[in-house]
Amino acid sequence: MKGKDIFKNMSPYKPGKQIEEVKKEYGLNKIVKLASNENPFGYSDQVEAAIPKLINHLEIYPDGYSTELREVLANKLEVDGDQIVFGCGSDEVVDIICRTYLEPGTNTIMATPTFPQYKHNALIQGAEIREVPLVNGYHDLEGMLEEVDEDTRVLWLCSPNNPTGCLIDRKSLEHVLQACPSHVMVVVDEAYYEYITTDEAPDTIASLKDYANLVVLRTFSKAYGLAGLRIGYGVASKEIITLLNITRGPFNTTTIAQGSALIALKDERFLKETISKNTTNKQAFLKHCDALGLEYYDSETNFVFVKLPVSGDEMFEHLLSNGFIVRSGEALGHPNGVRITIGKSEDMEELQQLMHAYLAPLKEENKL
């Protein structure tokens, strides 16, 4: 059978190296994964305690409306429950948006490099892709606005951006929302929202009251540590959410995911500890990069993209052979660098030593 012609030029998503795979390949007993921006501090112990009860009655379909989670989240965000759509991770909401709004003859605009699923899902729907290169890790917002025309349907803003970690500040986002025509949906993907520490961050949820074309995406995969359960959400006007829920599968989030997200949402202690540890460990890592003379992008996330005097693949292989999995920039559209998830303090110290051991001889050679 023949699939869409576009698939001839596409390939399935290729995840980073998995822990057991690396153990076998390199004969190692300990592996530290710092490649996928997962929470190294795990998840709420309240979730862990509740899991046995949550797996009761697996023969019954989940609540397709996520009623209890929806009510608590709506109260927390101060929005109407009908303004929320849940997905199997926020990346499914990206897919739902593409299936709802994009088709042949339309176009969609995004930065490059950025989260690849915007482009991937848009291509499948037959839309034209318009990519605007980042400037020093930040979105070129003026360049993106210049690409907008009457056939533009979705403008993607990943903020903080993956893979650079750079944030679109309040003033800049307000400018985009004011300048963007009302027929263009502005999607602000805030997967790393909880990690933001700057006072310049926009209040995207509050902005929904003023901009009917705004959609905000968030997830429980990162700071809440529930990546394995796959649950995220989008917030927008009731009109947009109604269409997205028509497209959404009827039982796309599981009972276990909904229940765990509900508990995680209420456990503010775990979230505060996660953010505090991430901030402390990231600051220490950035000081180490400064000492090595390495540049890096501004990061309002739980990862840092470090620029290197060698290819990302070289550093990736060096760290991998020593039991650390990071993400090479080669796979992210930025060859000379690596994206490193901020891990536990003891793991970050060992990682820093490994990076120093690899780069120090190169610095000496350059001096000569």
Side-chain angles (χ1 to χ4, degrees), residues 77 97 120 131 140 174 187 200 209 261 289 306 309 344 351:
L77 299 177
I97 290 170
H120 182 90
E131 296 179 289
D140 177 3
E174 185 70 19
V187 179
E200 297 302 313
K209 297 175 183 177
C289 289
V306 182
K344 297 177 181 177
L351 174 81

Side-chain angles (χ1 to χ4, degrees), residues 302-314:
N302 68 331
F303 65 83
V304 176
F305 192 97
V306 182
K307 304 174 187 180
L308 298 169
V310 296
S311 76
D313 279 357
E314 286 183 51

Side-chain angles (χ1 to χ4, degrees), residues 218-251:
R218 292 182 183 173
T219 184
F220 289 95
S221 295
K222 303 304 181 183
Y224 288 101
L226 302 182
L229 291 178
R230 313 305 304 122
I231 185 163
Y233 59 95
V235 191
S237 68
K238 292 183 181 180
E239 291 74 17
I240 289 175
I241 295 300
T242 295
L243 295 184
L244 297 183
N245 272 319
I246 291 173
T247 304
R248 176 184 62 83
F251 303 111

Side-chain angles (χ1 to χ4, degrees), residues 61-66 70 84-96 99 229-234 244-258:
Y61 282 110
D63 174 4
Y65 192 64
S66 307
R70 180 182 301 274
I84 303 172
V85 60
F86 289 97
C88 183
S90 57
D91 52 343
E92 189 195 19
V93 184
V94 170
D95 180 39
I96 291 171
R99 286 191 284 138
L229 291 178
R230 313 305 304 122
I231 185 163
Y233 59 95
L244 297 183
N245 272 319
I246 291 173
T247 304
R248 176 184 62 83
F251 303 111
N252 63 326
T253 60
T254 68
T255 300
I256 301 171
Q258 291 176 31

Side-chain angles (χ1 to χ4, degrees), residues 116-138:
Q117 292 307 103
Y118 311 143
K119 180 177 181 178
H120 182 90
N121 290 304
L123 284 171
I124 292 173
Q125 300 308 319
E128 175 194 349
I129 310 299
R130 296 183 177 179
E131 296 179 289
V132 179
L134 299 173
V135 176
N136 296 323
Y138 287 88

Side-chain angles (χ1 to χ4, degrees), residues 7-304:
F7 287 123
K8 296 176 182 177
N9 301 314
M10 298 178 69
S11 58
Y13 174 75
K14 187 177 181 181
K17 290 273 190 177
Q18 299 302 301
I19 291 175
E20 292 306 315
E21 177 187 0
V22 176
K23 282 184 178 180
K24 291 179 181 178
E25 185 175 350
Y26 291 89
L28 298 169
N29 294 319
K30 178 190 173 184
I31 301 296
V32 179
K33 187 182 178 191
L34 302 175
S36 301
N37 306 334
E38 295 147 331
N39 189 336
F41 311 111
Y43 51 91
S44 167
D45 53 8
Q46 294 179 31
V47 171
E48 185 172 9
I51 289 292
K53 184 178 179 180
L54 291 174
I55 62 175
N56 287 338
H57 301 297
L58 295 181
E59 77 280 6
I60 298 175
Y61 282 110
D63 174 4
Y65 192 64
S66 307
T67 305
E68 190 175 2
L69 174 60
R70 180 182 301 274
E71 181 180 346
V72 172
L73 183 59
N75 287 336
K76 181 179 178 64
L77 299 177
E78 298 182 347
V79 299
D80 191 285
D82 290 337
Q83 288 183 257
I84 303 172
V85 60
F86 289 97
C88 183
S90 57
D91 52 343
E92 189 195 19
V93 184
V94 170
D95 180 39
I96 291 171
I97 290 170
C98 290
R99 286 191 284 138
T100 304
Y101 288 93
L102 299 179
E103 60 188 338
T106 65
N107 68 71
T108 182
I109 301 166
M110 63 202 68
T112 183
T114 193
F115 185 53
Q117 292 307 103
Y118 311 143
K119 180 177 181 178
H120 182 90
N121 290 304
L123 284 171
I124 292 173
Q125 300 308 319
E128 175 194 349
I129 310 299
R130 296 183 177 179
E131 296 179 289
V132 179
L134 299 173
V135 176
N136 296 323
Y138 287 88
H139 285 67
D140 177 3
L141 297 174
E142 290 302 326
M144 297 179 81
L145 288 171
E146 288 174 5
E147 292 291 330
V148 173
D149 62 25
E150 65 275 9
D151 296 320
T152 304
R153 293 293 176 269
V154 184
L155 177 70
W156 302 94
L157 301 176
C158 186
S159 180
N161 186 52
N162 181 6
T164 59
C166 299
L167 176 82
I168 298 172
D169 64 28
R170 185 186 308 111
K171 183 178 179 180
S172 298
L173 180 60
E174 185 70 19
H175 170 67
V176 172
L177 292 170
Q178 290 178 354
C180 206
S182 60
H183 72 272
V184 178
M185 175 182 287
V186 179
V187 179
V188 182
D189 186 348
E190 296 184 323
Y192 300 92
Y193 168 77
E194 291 79 11
Y195 289 109
I196 297 171
T197 58
T198 178
D199 294 333
E200 297 302 313
D203 186 342
T204 50
I205 299 298
S207 295
L208 291 169
K209 297 175 183 177
D210 299 317
Y211 300 98
N213 59 335
L214 173 62
V215 179
V216 180
L217 305 184
R218 292 182 183 173
T219 184
F220 289 95
S221 295
K222 303 304 181 183
Y224 288 101
L226 302 182
L229 291 178
R230 313 305 304 122
I231 185 163
Y233 59 95
V235 191
S237 68
K238 292 183 181 180
E239 291 74 17
I240 289 175
I241 295 300
T242 295
L243 295 184
L244 297 183
N245 272 319
I246 291 173
T247 304
R248 176 184 62 83
F251 303 111
N252 63 326
T253 60
T254 68
T255 300
I256 301 171
Q258 291 176 31
S260 297
L262 180 62
I263 295 168
L265 202 58
K266 295 177 179 178
D267 187 359
E268 296 183 0
R269 177 195 58 80
F270 172 78
L271 187 63
K272 288 179 180 178
E273 288 180 358
T274 282
I275 296 167
S276 176
K277 291 176 183 176
N278 176 79
T279 301
T280 298
N281 294 352
K282 180 167 68 174
Q283 289 174 345
F285 179 62
L286 295 181
K287 287 182 180 179
H288 174 76
C289 289
D290 291 338
L292 286 177
L294 295 176
E295 296 182 358
Y296 45 84
Y297 289 118
D298 297 333
S299 173
E300 288 290 336
T301 64
N302 68 331
F303 65 83
V304 176

